């Protein structure tokens, strides 16, 4: 029964492969992921074929042996196995051919991925922190670095070269729909090229165990058309606009004069902390706490007052605020678009 | 000493010379390889149960999205303890235990080359087990995985003693594993029965010999790296601190230099089990004996050339990656040759489908999946998508459970009657077989798909929107079924110990020397030393095994033979029981545990170690000698 069920499994796998999600190498939306995806199907074909051969060999062998079972007698010692020896040689040759195909395929895909290195590319720095991502873009106009966090925007059809570093432990940068993963290692800079081919939202997640909140170190990725991207980058370059609404203005006071400013920076205000994510355009992001919560005023408020309940072990300390203050702070932060 | 003695008197003297002291003292001092191996195996079974419970606990947590029954800290502790236990305290030790039990019997010998070293190795291993599990009872469990990469495991990010406990536990158990391996390798080389040339060594013994050599080459790397980690943590060296000029990648190179061969150190003995079982139950000599031995050699050699495939996402030079891709995939050739030989043997033999052979069939069907997914992860670009996802979790469970544990269950059933004198129940054996094999595949196959759907490893939760819920539920149900089957397997073994059918010396019709001993074998294994003239002595020398007499009966003595031809060279005294290995192991344990708290433990801790070793090696006066060796043919 197991035999039969297992024989069906490649089919099951093929079926479920159709449903690659927004964090899956099976639904490629980038050049790099697409070439690896085709390598995956080459491997599935060759390996699936070899597996069927093994099962067939085992099945036929057992059926033949079963027929011989009625014979009794002594164990046979060193019988002449000329046919089997020829079979072994053929099998070994087949394995060698199969491996040659796969190694060549693998090498060619490696070359394709490495080929992007020759192109001009948008320069981005991503730095891993326990448990969030610092993201910096090189401003094409001034050459200065524009900082944001936990949300990566990429221009469609262009190559973005991401320099990966880490400020604490080893993390791994992985946006499976667009490209392969690469580690962020303290003391080293790794570079990965991303060339998205489909616009939309994708998700990335830290792939190397990095401590207690490894599960909640996600990255929202938005692939924009080049025009949208240019607009978005221009908006990120701007410092935060002072709030008009009085409640939000009270929030500004609390954030920039209180303990928030020790860790967070909001460009255009007195908050210049570096330990935590830059909040300059916080309200425009899709999620809170590195993909843990969907962005909403309630989520922001809950996160600020009880971060340990949302993400136990996070470096974000709880901030004691009266209900009115919490409301003001979340209003202000949501206005930072 | 030339009084003519009757065989009956000689035999009684032999029993007395090899007997342990009665009671608890005998328990603490024994150097009998069978008793030591049995202890190892019982400890492993207990740990297997505990680590299995941890696995179930984690599967419950992951069965549905956003579950809140476990804190992230507890989850991280659970997978760390599960992985460390399974890889360091279960897989390698159980294979060594099987070898400690089987190798002397398969070689027709009375003891291992270094009986006290075997006792020491068990006591030290027990120290490592306690070192990991006693702190667990007090809530100081290592929580950084079974690999503990710095800088996460360094002093800055892991204050407290969790990481130290892990690092010292590794060093501990690796000393034990090295001791066992040296012992096995020396026994295989120098203590085969006369006539057992290299070409007549049983396949399991070949496998264990190669696995022991691999252990001797691989383990020093991990002992070194855990010692460097401890030094970073305790005395502020900066081996792995990038800011001070160290490099965290150094840890990974050294760790995987051991970590990949480790997989084959577990797999080779399993391949040995499979070869032996296939041969016995097919009722024919294994097809391609030489090809299987050469394949094992090739695997043992290749294993050291592909550690980098664990590090494809680290960002090493691409040309290097291609080399390691090719080297990793090349393992498929010897592995494929072995699979062919086993299937060919079955196909051209007259197989009897008893439980041990069923395990081998399940092994082939399951392990090949793990091998093929191994080829996929060996490809550098593909690996950079699937590594650190559930695809890899599925892959290595297929290799380690399908490739090593299934043959182990088969081997356990196969040799159980030899060890206990009773058969395990076939009916319950088959029920537990189907539960374990079915549950395992149901539990782990979906993980391949989860990995391809982007689910990373070592996450304690995931949200509803990821779409991973249904397959995780299937995986959890499958794991629970497999664990239930495992419990049934152990219950069957326990029940059969008291109620099983009497076995007789050779219930399966095996071909190798251990089946010539009574079941269970006496402490000296064989009344007279067998002499062999073929690979399958019990099939070719059917009337009566030729034996060699002349070893002393009034004291423990073994025969040492030459390396290639196994011609008798000299008689060697075999050490009597001693309390020294236990004392030495306790002293080493104190040293290791103390060193977690103060580096000075290395200084004062050396004193009790020296006392233990002095006792151990205290010279003893030679007693009587007997006459020259005499060959007696059938």
């Amino acid at each position: 029964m197991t035999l039969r069920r297992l024989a069906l499994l490649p089919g099951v796998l093929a079926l479920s492969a159709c449903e690659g999600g927004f964090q899956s190498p099976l639904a490629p939306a980038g050049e790099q992921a697409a070439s690896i995806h085709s390598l995956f199907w080459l491997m599935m074909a060759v390996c699936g074929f070899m597996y069927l051969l093994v099962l067939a060999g085992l099945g036929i062998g057992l059926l033949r042996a079963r027929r011989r079972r009625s014979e009794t007698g002594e164990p046979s010692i060193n019988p002449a196995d000329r046919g089997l020896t020829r079979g072994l040689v053929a099998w070994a040759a087949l394995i060698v051919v199969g491996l040659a195909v796969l190694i060549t395929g693998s090498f060619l895909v490696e070359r394709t991925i490495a080929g992007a290195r020759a192109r001009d590319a948008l320069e981005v720095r991503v730095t891993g922190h326990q448990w969030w991502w610092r993201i910096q873009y090189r401003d094409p106009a001034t050459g200065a670095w524009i900082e944001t966090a936990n949300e990566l925007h990429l221009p469609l059809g262009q190559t973005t070269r991401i320099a990966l570093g880490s400020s604490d432990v080893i993390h791994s940068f992985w946006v499976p729909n667009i490209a392969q993963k690469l580690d962020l290692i303290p003391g080293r800079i790794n570079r990965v090229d991303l060339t998205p081919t489909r616009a939309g939202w994708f998700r990335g997640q830290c792939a190397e165990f990095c401590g207690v909140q490894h599960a909640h170190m996600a990255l929202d990725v938005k692939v924009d058309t080049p025009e949208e991207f240019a607009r978005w980058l221009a908006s990120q370059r701007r410092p935060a606009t002072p709030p008009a609404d009085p409640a939000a203005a009270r929030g500004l006071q609390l954030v920039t004069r209180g303990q928030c400013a020790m860790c967070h920076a909001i460009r255009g205000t007195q908050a210049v902390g570096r330990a935590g994510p830059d909040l300059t355009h916080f309200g425009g992001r899709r999620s809170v706490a590195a993909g843990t919560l969907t962005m909403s005023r309630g989520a922001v408020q809950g996160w600020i007052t009880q971060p340990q309940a949302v993400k136990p072990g996070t470096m974000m300390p709880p901030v004691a605020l009266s209900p009115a203050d919490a409301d003001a702070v979340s209003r202000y932060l949501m206005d930072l678009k | 000493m030339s009084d003519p003695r009757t065989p009956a008197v000689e035999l009684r003297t032999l029993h007395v010379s090899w007997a342990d002291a009665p009671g608890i003292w005998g328990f603490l001092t024994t150097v009998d390889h069978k008793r030591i191996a049995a202890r190892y195996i019982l400890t492993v079974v207990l740990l297997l149960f505990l680590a299995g419970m941890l696995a179930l606990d984690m599967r419950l947590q992951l069965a549905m999205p956003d579950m809140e029954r476990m804190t992230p800290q507890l989850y991280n502790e659970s997978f760390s303890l599960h992985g460390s236990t399974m890889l360091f305290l279960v897989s390698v030790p159980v294979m060594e235990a099987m070898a400690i039990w089987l190798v002397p019997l398969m070689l027709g010998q009375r003891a291992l080359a270094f009986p006290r070293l075997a006792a020491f190795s068990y006591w030290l291993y027990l120290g490592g087990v306690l070192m990991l599990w006693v702190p667990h009872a007090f809530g100081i469990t290592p929580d950084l995985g079974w690999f503990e990469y710095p800088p996460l495991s360094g002093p800055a990010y892991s204050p407290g003693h969790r990481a130290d406990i892990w690092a010292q536990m590794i060093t501990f158990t690796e000393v034990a594993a090295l001791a066992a391996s040296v012992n096995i390798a020396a026994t295989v080389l120098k203590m085969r029965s006369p006539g057992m040339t290299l070409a007549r060594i049983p396949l399991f013994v070949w496998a264990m010999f190669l696995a022991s050599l691999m252990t001797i080459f691989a383990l020093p790397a991990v002992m070194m790296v855990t010692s460097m980690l401890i030094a970073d943590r305790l005395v502020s060296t900066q081996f792995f601190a990038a800011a001070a000029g160290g490099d965290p990648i150094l840890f990974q190179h050294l760790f995987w230099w051991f970590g990949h061969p480790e997989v084959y150190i577990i797999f080779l003995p399993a391949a040995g089990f499979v070869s032996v079982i296939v041969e016995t139950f097919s009722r024919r000599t294994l097809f391609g004996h030489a090809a299987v031995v050469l394949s094992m050699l090739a695997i043992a050699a290749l294993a050291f050339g592909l550690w980098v495939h664990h590090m494809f996402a680290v960002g090493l030079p691409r040309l290097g990656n291609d080399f390691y891709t090719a080297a990793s995939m090349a393992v498929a050739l010897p592995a494929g040759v072995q699979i062919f030989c086993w299937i060919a043997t079955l196909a051209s033999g007259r197989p009897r489908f008893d439980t041990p052979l069923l395990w081998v069939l399940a092994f082939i069907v399951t392990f090949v999946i793990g091998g093929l997914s191994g080829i996929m992860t060996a490809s550098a670009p593909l690996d950079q998508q699937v590594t650190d996802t559930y695809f890899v979790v599925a892959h290595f469970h297929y290799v380690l459970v399908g490739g090593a544990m299934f043959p182990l269950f088969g081997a356990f059933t196969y040799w159980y009657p030899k060890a206990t004198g009773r058969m395990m129940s076939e009916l319950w054996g088959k029920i537990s077989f189907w539960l374990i094999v079915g549950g395992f595949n149901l539990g782990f196959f979906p993980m391949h798909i989860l990995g391809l759907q982007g689910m990373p490893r070592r996450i304690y939760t995931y949200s509803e929107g990821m779409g991973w819920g249904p397959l995780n539920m299937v995986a959890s149900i499958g794991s629970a079924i497999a664990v239930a089957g495992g419990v049934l397997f152990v219950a069957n073994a326990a029940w059969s110990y008291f109620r099983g059918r009497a076995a007789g010396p050779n219930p399966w019709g095996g071909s190798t020397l251990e089946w010539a001993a009574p079941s269970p074998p006496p402490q000296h294994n064989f009344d007279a030393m067998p002499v062999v003239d073929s690979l399958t002595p019990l099939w070719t020398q059917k009337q009566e095994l030729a034996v060699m007499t002349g070893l002393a009966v009034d004291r423990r003595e073994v025969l040492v033979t030459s390396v290639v031809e196994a011609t008798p060279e000299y008689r060697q005294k075999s050490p009597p029981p001693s309390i020294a290995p236990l004392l030495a192991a306790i002293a080493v344990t104190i040293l290791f545990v103390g060193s977690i708290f103060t580096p000075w433990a290395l200084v004062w801790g050396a004193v009790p170690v020296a006392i233990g070793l002095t006792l151990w090696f205290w010279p003893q006066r030679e007693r009587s000698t007997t006459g020259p060796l005499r060959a007696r043919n059938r």
Side-chain angles (χ1 to χ4, degrees), chain A residues 147 235-241 265-268 277-283 285 335-337:
Chain A
E147 183 164 325
S235 76
Q236 294 295 307
R237 189 187 301 136
R238 285 195 325 265
T241 37
I266 301 173
R267 271 173 283 135
D278 182 292
L279 300 179
T280 309
H281 300 284
F282 175 78
R285 293 181 199 153
D335 281 354
L336 290 172
K337 296 258 159 100

Side-chain angles (χ1 to χ4, degrees), chain B residues 555-601:
Chain B
R555 62 197 169 110
R556 296 184 177 216
E557 202 170 64
V558 292
L559 181 67
V560 175
T561 53
S562 67
V563 170
V564 177
E565 293 294 325
T567 46
E569 285 185 334
Y570 51 88
R571 299 187 324 232
Q572 165 90 36
K573 189 182 160 211
S574 186
S578 162
I579 193 72
L582 173 61
L583 296 180
I586 293 174
V588 174
T589 305
I590 291 170
L591 185 153
F592 273 126
V593 174
S595 67
I596 288 178
F597 300 98
T598 161
W600 286 102

Side-chain angles (χ1 to χ4, degrees), chain A residues 1-3 5-6 9-10 12-13 16-17 19-26 32-33 36-37 39-40 43-44 46-48 50-51 54-55 57-58 60-62 64-66 68-69 71-79 81 84-88 91-93 95-96 99 102-103 105-107 109-110 113-114 117 130 167-170 172 174-188 190-191 203 205-216 309-313, chain B residues 68 72-73 76 79-80 143-145 147 149-152 157 242 247-249 252 283-288 291 312-316 318-319 321-322 325-326 329-333 336-337 339-341 343-353 361 364-366 368-369 372-373 375-389 391 398 434 437-439 441-442 445 448-449 451-461 463 465-468 471 509 535-536 539-540 542:
Chain A
M1 188 216 107
T2 314
L3 261 171
R5 195 162 56 74
L6 281 172
L9 281 173
V12 175
L13 182 64
S16 66
E19 31 166 309
F22 61 106
Q23 179 176 318
S24 165
L26 293 178
Q32 291 79 9
I36 296 174
H37 185 244
L39 177 64
F40 168 75
M43 293 236 170
M44 281 301 288
V46 174
C47 293
M50 296 302 266
Y51 189 59
V54 171
L55 287 187
L58 184 64
I60 294 167
L62 290 182
R64 282 185 43 190
R66 205 170 249 271
R68 227 175 301 121
R69 228 168 138 201
E71 294 176 33
T72 49
E74 291 304 308
S76 61
I77 294 154
N78 301 322
D81 290 317
L84 292 180
T85 308
R86 271 198 294 272
L88 176 60
W91 173 243
I95 295 178
V96 170
L99 290 182
L102 296 183
I103 292 171
S106 176
F107 178 65
V109 168
E110 188 88 325
I113 293 172
R117 195 51 49 90
Q130 282 180 326
S167 76
D168 40 43
V169 303
I170 298 174
S172 194
W174 189 40
V175 187
N177 298 68
I178 299 177
Q180 75 284 10
K181 67 171 73 72
L182 196 57
D183 289 352
L184 302 91
I185 299 164
R188 293 189 178 221
N190 278 329
R191 288 190 171 78
R203 190 172 185 271
Q205 190 163 2
C206 176
E208 180 65 63
F209 182 68
C210 55
V212 70
Q213 273 300 341
H214 170 58
H216 285 137
V310 177
K311 198 166 161 176
Chain B
E68 287 193 353
Q73 175 65 29
N76 294 346
F79 77 68
S80 306
D143 57 351
L144 305 173
F147 46 88
Y149 284 174
L152 187 58
Y157 301 99
D247 189 352
I249 302 306
Q252 298 189 18
R283 305 289 293 156
R284 59 151 291 173
T285 42
L286 190 79
F287 165 73
F312 282 156
V314 162
L316 301 174
R318 285 185 181 273
L319 183 64
N321 282 355
D322 289 323
T325 293
M329 286 193 186
V331 177
L333 181 61
V337 165
I339 298 275
F340 184 93
C341 292
I343 293 180
T345 308
L346 285 167
S348 60
R350 296 189 302 274
R352 278 174 44 196
F353 293 89
L361 298 181
I364 293 175
V365 169
T366 315
V368 175
I369 295 180
L372 292 170
S373 61
I375 290 179
M376 298 171 104
T377 51
S379 156
L382 190 55
D383 185 65
Q384 286 167 351
Q385 281 285 26
V386 297
T387 187
D388 280 319
T389 70
F391 188 88
Y398 266 78
W434 285 109
V437 173
N441 280 295
L442 188 65
F445 198 85
H448 290 107
I449 303 167
L452 293 169
Q453 290 177 345
M455 179 165 166
R457 291 167 79 174
R458 304 170 187 132
I459 52 168
Y460 73 97
T461 189
S463 69
M466 302 306 298
W468 301 328
L471 284 178
L535 186 57
T536 50
W539 286 355
T540 42
K542 277 184 292 286

